[in-house]
Structure formats: structure tokens, C-alpha cells
Amino acid sequence: MVGGFGLLLASIVMAVSVGAVSVPADTVIGIVTSKLFPGTVEVAWSTGREAIVWDIRFPRVLLAGLVGAGLAVVGAALQAVTRNPLADPHLLGISSGGAFGAILALMHTGLFLGLLTVPFMAFVGALGATLLVLCVTRFAAATSADRLVLAGVAVSFIIMAFANTLIFLGDPRATHTVVFWMLGGLGLAQWEHLVYPSVVLVLCSAFLWLRGGDLNAMTIGDETASTLGIPVARFRLTVFVVGALITGVMVAFSGMIGFVGLMIPHIVRFLVGGSYSRVIPASMLAGAIFLIWADILSRTLMAPEDIPIGIVTGLIGGLFFIWLLRRQG
């Protein structure tokens, strides 16, 4: 775990350093240190570089870490309560619901809650998608974990159809603003925005970590979990709501980023084992590192243009998904 934190810090420095204007790593460390501890470092850089590092790149990199950690921990929890290794926020329609809420706020309702409007609507959409998936599974008597994922895929298609309808009916001049939510991106990161995903991630992941024993029991089966005194249906619904909260807030600030919640828990379980007291924090750490490096790729592959990060994760995740299907087979 200590090595993981070291890799995370190195990834942050690297991500802040690279871009259209390259900034040496020692300069990055000096700027960040001077901002956190004023007067401890002699200023030997221009105000332009300081603005690039502190006002533009550093918030973006931190947002990438928060979103990656959030999506990874949600994927790990969903895979436990559904007992399905293919479950993640994207496949279960939660990300689509969050994007629907964000698009509705941006193009139709307006910012009636100010800065909180888009995160609030994204959470409502994610929670609505979660409840819709549960209703579909009950209506179709889809009690198995595999059919739950199929219900999530169906709900995701339906929600995206309505989201595309909102875009079609909205102001054409505002259409370009929702492309960010459809493809995923971190370019709008600002310091004042980071508090919301930070608080949600810390509180929700702490809850999931404290319930690690219950998650372990859920991976064995509902009957085993029930014999251990776990209210299976209520706990599964609680995990879905917590996952919707995390996903909705992350989608509100980063758009739809797929496959992080699918890939990272598999890699983590291979490295640290199946106990969720270790899987939850390790998934957060690995998810943060992965999305930071995905953001590096999105900014450097076609520099000076930024590729939407959802394209990068979709490509990597699609290949991983094929490998996973092959391995399961």
C-alpha cells in the first residue's frame, strides 16, 4: 500500500508536468509546496507557469484521482452485492442516469440551485436509474446476477435514448456543452468544485470499508449472508444508493467515464486478495492512479488537442472486457 501511495504521488507530479507547455517536475513540486506552505520555497518560476500548474493542471489531476477512486470503489461494491464480476456503474445504467440528470439541468431546467444544480440533478438521475433497474429485475423476475446486469444494460439504453431526446429538443447552440457529459472530460475542473466529490468519496467509501465484512458475506451468497444476520435486500439497496450517490456526483463533474469500475476491482483482487477490507482502499488507490494516467494519455496522444477521457477509458476497458470474457470462458 505504501508503494501505491508513492506511485500515486509520482503520477500526480507527472500528470501536472506534461501538456502543451512542459513544466519540470522540480518546478511543479516547488509551486505546490509554495502554495501549501507559503514562504518555505524561493520563487524561481514565472507567474504563467504558476498559473498553469496551480490553477489549471493540479485541479484537473486531483479531479481525475477523485473520479477514478470513486468509480472503482463503486464497481467493487456492486460486484460484491450482485456477485457478478461484470457489474459496474456504466453497465448497470447508473452513469447513464447521472448523465441524463446533468443534461436535463444544463439544457432545460437551468441552474435553479446554483453551482449545486448539476451535481444534484446528476445524483437524482443516477438514483432514479438504480431504482429503475431494481424495478425491472423484479418485474422480469430476473433474480440471478447475470440477468441483473442485462436489466442494467437495457435500462442504460432506454435512459440514453431519453437523454438524446433532450439534446435533440434543446437549444442547438447549447448542444456542444453536453458533448462533455457524453464523452467524459476533466477540462472544467476548478478548485471550488473539488469539495463536493471529495466529501462524497470520503464519507461513502468509509461506509463501504466499514461494511467490508458484510460485502465479503454477500460475495458468498444471500443465504450465507442471511445466516450471519445481514438484511440482504436492505443492504443491497443501501449499496446501490451509495453507489448512485458517488457515481452521480462524479458524473456531474467529469461526464460519463466507462469501464473504470469494471477493470480496477479485478486487478485489485488479483493483487491483494478478495477481502473487502483491503479491496475497498486498494480499489480507490488503483482507480485514482489509472484515471490520472488515462488523463495523461488523453492530453498527449493528439497534443495539443485533448481527447475526451471517456474515449481512452472506453478503448482500454473494451479490450479488458474482451479479455475478461475470454478468461471467464
Side-chain angles (χ1 to χ4, degrees):
M1 192 67 74
V2 175
F5 278 109
L7 181 57
L8 176 61
L9 293 177
S11 301
I12 291 174
V13 174
M14 175 65 71
V16 177
S17 299
V18 301
V21 177
S22 180
V23 181
D26 58 342
T27 302
V28 171
I29 296 173
I31 292 173
V32 174
T33 303
S34 69
K35 288 292 185 179
L36 297 177
F37 308 101
T40 59
V41 179
E42 181 182 355
V43 176
W45 50 81
S46 65
T47 56
R49 282 195 169 184
E50 182 175 307
I52 291 173
V53 169
W54 187 254
D55 297 328
I56 298 175
R57 291 186 185 169
F58 202 42
R60 174 173 179 150
V61 172
L62 292 181
L63 180 61
L66 291 171
V67 172
L71 295 178
V73 76
V74 172
L78 291 179
Q79 289 170 16
V81 296
T82 62
R83 301 191 307 281
N84 192 313
L86 304 182
D88 86 328
H90 198 66
L91 289 180
L92 289 179
I94 301 176
S95 295
S96 300
F100 176 85
I103 292 170
L104 183 63
L106 288 170
M107 299 194 70
H108 295 277
T109 66
L111 303 181
F112 57 90
L113 293 177
L115 185 63
L116 292 175
T117 305
V118 176
F120 173 75
M121 293 295 289
F123 167 64
V124 171
L127 181 59
T130 300
L131 296 177
L132 186 57
V133 169
L134 295 176
C135 289
V136 169
T137 56
R138 176 165 296 186
F139 172 77
T143 56
S144 68
D146 290 338
R147 298 190 71 185
L148 178 62
V149 173
L150 292 177
V153 172
V155 169
S156 179
F157 276 113
I158 294 172
I159 292 175
M160 289 312 302
F162 282 108
N164 291 331
T165 302
L166 290 179
I167 296 174
F168 177 75
L169 296 177
D171 187 349
R173 293 172 296 180
T175 301
H176 70 281
T177 62
V178 303
V179 173
F180 166 78
W181 306 104
M182 306 299 288
L183 301 179
L186 303 166
L188 300 181
Q190 299 179 30
W191 280 110
E192 57 267 28
H193 294 168
L194 296 181
V195 62
Y196 304 110
S198 299
V199 171
V200 169
L201 177 62
V202 169
L203 295 179
C204 293
S205 59
F207 168 80
L208 293 173
W209 179 70
L210 291 173
R211 302 298 295 269
D214 295 344
L215 291 172
N216 289 335
M218 293 291 288
T219 61
I220 301 175
D222 289 359
E223 293 184 0
T224 301
S226 297
T227 59
L228 295 175
I230 300 172
V232 172
R234 187 174 66 187
F235 180 65
R236 180 178 287 117
L237 179 60
T238 301
V239 171
F240 268 68
V241 172
V242 171
L245 176 58
I246 298 176
T247 304
V249 173
M250 300 307 170
V251 167
F253 293 105
S254 68
M256 292 180 61
I257 299 177
F259 290 108
V260 177
L262 172 66
M263 292 184 291
I264 300 303
H266 285 279
I267 298 172
V268 164
R269 282 192 290 266
F270 176 76
L271 295 175
V272 304
S275 174
Y276 271 80
S277 62
R278 297 191 301 269
V279 168
I280 293 297
S283 293
M284 295 174 61
L285 187 59
I289 294 171
F290 169 77
L291 205 61
I292 287 172
W293 279 97
D295 183 51
I296 292 175
L297 290 176
S298 73
R299 290 188 282 123
T300 57
L301 287 178
M302 297 182 64
E305 296 292 332
D306 282 4
I307 302 174
I309 194 170
I311 294 177
V312 176
T313 61
L315 177 60
I316 298 173
L319 295 175
F320 181 86
F321 194 84
I322 294 173
W323 173 82
L324 186 62
L325 290 175
R326 171 66 178 172
R327 184 171 178 268
Q328 293 294 324

